[in-house]
Amino acid sequence: MKFSILMPVFKAKYLHEAITSVLQQDYADFELVIVNDASPYDIDSIVMSFADSRIKYHKNTVNTGPINIVDNWNRCLELSSGDYIMMIGDDDKIESNCLSWYKAMIDKHPTLDVYHGRTLIIGPNGQPLTLQDKRAETETAMDAIAERMTHRQQFIGDYLFNAKTLKQNGGFIKLPLAWGSDDITVFKAIGCKGIANINEPIFNYRNNPFSITSSGNVDLKMDAMNLHKNWLRDFVKHYNATTRTDIILKCQILQKLDNYFLKKAANLIASDIATHGTTRVLTWMQKAKKHNLPIKLIIYSMVEACKIKNQHSNCNAKK
């Protein structure tokens, strides 16, 4: 069983640490596919400092940019040859037993197409911040979607995919800025078979101010959110629920879907106003029709923006 670990690269700051974490795996049958997305940083020197034949290194001649970042994810996928695929960022890292855990879970649940590894969120200096929620060993797609809509935090690096199925699904699903691409890719891979979860933390997601999550064009994020909502509604509508639990969850998801995405929109707008000032309120009033947003949601977001700014002010005052 061969694993392909994909690493689309642009930033250099944590790259050596990320590569080291992969090469220190206690399961040896893997390849590390690194694609340099025409970075202005000296990525070559960092990669070439590792003399390991399992590294496959490619450089893009043109930068895909943050809007089309999923194109680089899929370029990594095209260059891979493993039976199973996982992808980590150039600032993330994995535990030394990550692949061993996945191997054991595949042996236990061999018919599935996607597996989840518990994630530890770390800070810029590697300090532990938050441990991801504990999950049932197996879940259906409806379980996973319902939990995601309620509270669950997840990242593309949390997951291991059957390579054949991922490629048949069209690879990583492209949305602007990859905003929602992880959710759609995962739920599509779960399909009607389900997912198996590992409750030991084997993936480290680095929370830092340079990630796309904390930057980017909010209009594009809003567009991506609408595409995400439409895809999810269609997927759930056509999902063949065969158990009583799935039937109930399917109905609840469809009932709550619009409010779930309105809340996400409100959080995005509030963050935008808090960051760029109250003049953005008028901008969002003008954009409300385009994005099908009720005016009262803009007002609510303005209030939430004030709370965000007050929280930041209090934090700064304590320092």
Side-chain angles (χ1 to χ4, degrees), residues 15-305:
L15 181 57
H16 192 279
E17 187 177 356
I19 295 174
T20 299
S21 76
V22 174
L23 298 181
Q24 290 177 343
Q25 291 302 295
D26 57 18
Y27 181 91
D29 192 6
F30 69 86
E31 63 179 4
L32 172 57
V33 181
I34 300 174
V35 176
N36 177 347
D37 194 17
S39 172
Y41 306 109
D42 187 11
I43 303 300
D44 291 358
S45 295
I46 298 173
V47 176
M48 297 308 170
S49 69
F50 295 91
D52 196 307
S53 61
R54 293 171 297 183
I55 296 177
K56 294 169 67 173
Y57 183 49
H58 173 80
K59 294 175 68 174
N60 291 340
T61 55
V62 179
N63 175 249
T64 59
I67 295 174
N68 299 307
I69 192 171
V70 177
D71 288 343
N72 202 36
W73 295 6
N74 284 319
R75 181 59 179 147
C76 291
L77 181 61
E78 290 171 4
L79 295 168
S80 68
S81 61
D83 304 301
Y84 289 90
I85 302 289
M86 73 174 296
M87 184 173 67
I88 71 171
D90 55 24
D91 50 3
D92 301 326
K93 58 183 182 177
I94 56 178
E95 300 293 338
S96 61
N97 59 356
C98 178
L99 297 184
S100 293
W101 266 107
Y102 275 131
K103 171 68 165 56
M105 191 58 75
I106 293 167
D107 290 342
K108 189 173 182 180
H109 302 282
T111 63
L112 302 182
D113 289 325
V114 62
Y115 304 83
H116 174 266
R118 195 172 189 178
T119 291
L120 175 66
I121 301 172
I122 60 176
N125 297 320
Q127 69 274 28
L129 297 178
T130 308
L131 184 61
Q132 211 175 43
D133 62 300
K134 187 176 181 179
R135 307 184 182 187
E137 183 169 315
T138 59
E139 296 178 317
T140 67
M142 294 300 101
D143 289 323
I145 294 170
E147 290 294 316
R148 176 65 165 147
M149 288 175 59
T150 303
H151 70 282
R152 181 172 286 177
Q153 190 174 28
Q154 63 188 38
F155 311 96
I156 195 66
D158 297 359
Y159 293 92
L160 179 82
F161 300 90
N162 179 300
K164 182 178 179 181
T165 299
L166 181 60
K167 290 173 182 178
Q168 287 176 343
N169 287 347
F172 298 100
I173 306 304
K174 183 179 178 180
L175 291 178
L177 297 166
W179 200 252
S181 293
D182 49 354
D183 280 13
I184 295 178
T185 300
V186 168
F187 298 144
K188 191 170 183 177
I190 295 174
C192 62
K193 293 183 180 180
I195 182 173
N197 296 306
I198 296 165
N199 278 311
E200 286 296 315
I202 58 175
F203 172 66
N204 291 180
Y205 173 84
R206 195 181 303 269
N207 190 3
N208 73 83
F210 306 107
S211 66
I212 290 176
T213 303
S214 55
S215 62
N217 186 301
V218 289
D219 281 315
L220 285 174
K221 289 179 180 178
M222 195 68 73
D223 289 339
M225 205 181 299
N226 286 327
L227 292 170
H228 183 186
K229 178 177 68 175
N230 293 337
W231 183 93
L232 195 56
R233 178 182 285 111
D234 185 68
F235 177 80
V236 175
K237 275 185 176 180
H238 292 93
Y239 180 82
N240 183 25
T242 57
T243 67
R244 178 166 171 75
T245 299
D246 266 3
I247 291 170
I248 293 170
L249 287 174
K250 177 177 178 176
C251 182
Q252 290 180 345
I253 290 167
L254 291 173
Q255 288 174 346
K256 297 176 180 180
L257 197 64
D258 284 337
N259 283 339
Y260 169 70
F261 279 96
L262 282 174
K263 184 176 180 179
K264 287 173 69 71
N267 291 338
L268 183 61
I269 295 169
S271 178
D272 181 47
I273 295 171
T275 302
H276 298 104
T278 54
T279 56
R280 292 292 293 172
V281 175
L282 179 59
T283 302
W284 281 110
M285 288 288 189
Q286 295 169 342
K287 294 176 182 289
K289 185 175 181 180
K290 173 190 173 184
H291 294 296
N292 197 27
L293 301 171
I295 296 299
K296 63 181 181 181
L297 182 136
I298 312 291
I299 297 171
Y300 168 81
S301 300
M302 181 174 64
V303 174
E304 291 300 303

